[in-house]
Amino acid sequence: MKILTRRNNMDVSNERLKLLLARTDEAFQALLKEPDSIELNSAYDAAKAELDDYIGRLRAALSKKAPHR
């Protein structure tokens, strides 16, 4: 049961990561089309900050699980 739960958690994490990557990419592509747009700059910054925060939390969680060498 523990393995199944871990796999489900990884699936959720992977889906969340895919969503955040897609959102960041979409915001970046829009920004490329209108680089002077304050609104698009803000949207990209927000998407990138959310992605960076999520990756940071994933790294922290993984480092707690990894055996210390």
Side-chain angles (χ1 to χ4, degrees), residues 24-64:
T24 304
D25 187 54
E26 185 178 305
F28 182 72
Q29 294 302 320
L31 184 58
L32 285 177
K33 293 176 184 173
E34 295 182 55
D36 294 331
S37 169
I38 293 171
E39 182 179 328
L40 293 177
N41 270 287
S42 295
Y44 173 68
D45 288 342
K48 187 171 178 323
E50 188 175 7
L51 176 61
D52 289 345
D53 178 63
Y54 185 74
I55 290 172
R57 287 186 280 125
L58 275 180
R59 284 183 179 150
L62 289 172
S63 70
K64 288 180 184 177

Side-chain angles (χ1 to χ4, degrees), residues 3 20-21 54 60:
I3 292 173
L20 292 173
L21 285 167
Y54 185 74

